[in-house]
Amino acid sequence: EVQLVQSGAEVKKPGESLKISCKGSGYSFTSYWIGWVRQMPGKGLEWMGIIYPGDSDTRYSPSFQGQVTISADKSISTAYLQWSSLKASDTAMYYCVRQPPVGAIQYWGQGTLVTVSS
Amino acid sequence: EIVMTQSPATLSVSPGERATLSCRASQSVSSNLAWYQQKPGQAPRLLIYGASTRATGIPARFSGSGSGTEFTLTISSLQSEDFAVYYCQQYNNWPDFGPGTKVDIK
């Protein structure tokens, strides 16, 4: 069974750094792209970017380029989303997903809620 | 950038009735269009891909149609568990989601 298990909720202050994780299991982690999707409170879905863990090829939505960093550690089947300096506007639910670079999203993680507040 | 729009923003339907949701792309996405259902507190779930192919385990009351720029999701007879928010997503180019249609109880 394909599973994407994300790290737990985080509460941070503006300016702090953060790295959240997504561990894949039940499939060959290095053979499928992993993406990240943002959902701000009460809002819709925004696609942020993807990484191919096999070779770390990474692509970002223009809206998120330079704002976040996507990485992966294939030795532990885990992808990451990180911020160097959080803003209050980063408050959102973040989902990791397994998807082809051109394709629908069949598998979703359970989501990680990030709250940024002073 | 392809801009996705959905209408209506909210659809009020009685259980057992038919619901028709629309999705429009600002330029052709061929049949590279998916529909997702999201219930409160849950991750989205894939319903339809390739504009008209039901994902595994999706009931036959859900159907998708369209190609190019105009797409429709039809729920033939709404069940209580179908009241949710529905998003379309194009994946012809960089993936983009529509703003969603909330289906609520009339």
Side-chain angles (χ1 to χ4, degrees):
Chain A
E1 178 193 8
V2 173
Q3 285 193 311
L4 299 171
V5 179
Q6 299 184 229
S7 50
E10 301 274 1
V11 179
K12 292 288 190 179
K13 290 181 167 37
E16 292 185 333
S17 63
L18 176 64
K19 192 174 190 178
I20 63 175
S21 67
C22 169
K23 183 174 176 63
S25 64
Y27 71 100
S28 174
F29 185 74
T30 55
S31 300
Y32 293 86
W33 293 78
I34 291 281
W36 290 91
V37 175
R38 183 175 78 173
Q39 188 167 39
M40 298 176 76
K43 301 299 184 183
L45 304 168
E46 300 172 273
W47 197 84
M48 303 175 71
I50 51 172
I51 187 166
Y52 189 74
D55 62 6
S56 295
D57 183 7
T58 308
R59 306 173 192 183
Y60 294 92
S61 163
S63 301
F64 291 92
Q65 179 81 48
Q67 307 305 307
V68 296
T69 300
I70 295 171
S71 60
D73 184 341
K74 61 186 179 182
S75 70
I76 54 172
S77 301
T78 300
Y80 301 96
L81 178 66
Q82 69 180 89
W83 295 259
S84 58
S85 181
L86 286 160
K87 303 184 282 288
S89 57
D90 293 318
T91 294
M93 181 71 80
Y94 293 87
Y95 294 101
C96 70
V97 299
R98 195 190 91 171
Q99 69 165 117
V102 178
I105 301 171
Q106 183 175 3
Y107 298 102
W108 296 70
Q110 84 276 19
T112 295
L113 180 62
V114 174
T115 303
V116 183
S117 175
S118 55
Chain B
E1 180 190 359
I2 298 176
V3 178
M4 306 299 293
T5 56
Q6 291 185 242
S7 61
T10 302
L11 184 62
S12 297
V13 185
S14 300
E17 288 188 341
R18 182 186 194 92
T20 302
L21 290 65
S22 295
C23 174
R24 176 176 292 178
S26 60
Q27 63 190 78
S28 177
V29 298
S30 187
S31 294
N32 295 316
L33 191 285
W35 290 93
Y36 301 87
Q37 176 194 67
Q38 187 178 32
K39 298 179 182 179
Q42 296 184 17
R45 175 175 70 145
L46 177 65
L47 298 176
I48 301 284
Y49 63 94
S52 61
T53 302
R54 277 190 302 277
T56 303
I58 301 304
R61 64 180 182 272
F62 291 93
S63 63
S65 63
S67 66
T69 62
E70 301 280 345
F71 301 88
T72 300
L73 175 69
T74 301
I75 312 171
S76 60
S77 177
L78 268 157
Q79 306 299 301
S80 58
E81 61 267 30
D82 301 334
F83 293 97
V85 179
Y86 292 83
Y87 295 95
C88 63
Q89 180 212 18
Q90 67 81 17
Y91 48 87
N92 191 61
N93 292 322
W94 205 253
D96 284 298
F97 292 93
T101 291
K102 182 179 181 181
V103 178
D104 65 16
I105 300 174
K106 187 174 183 180

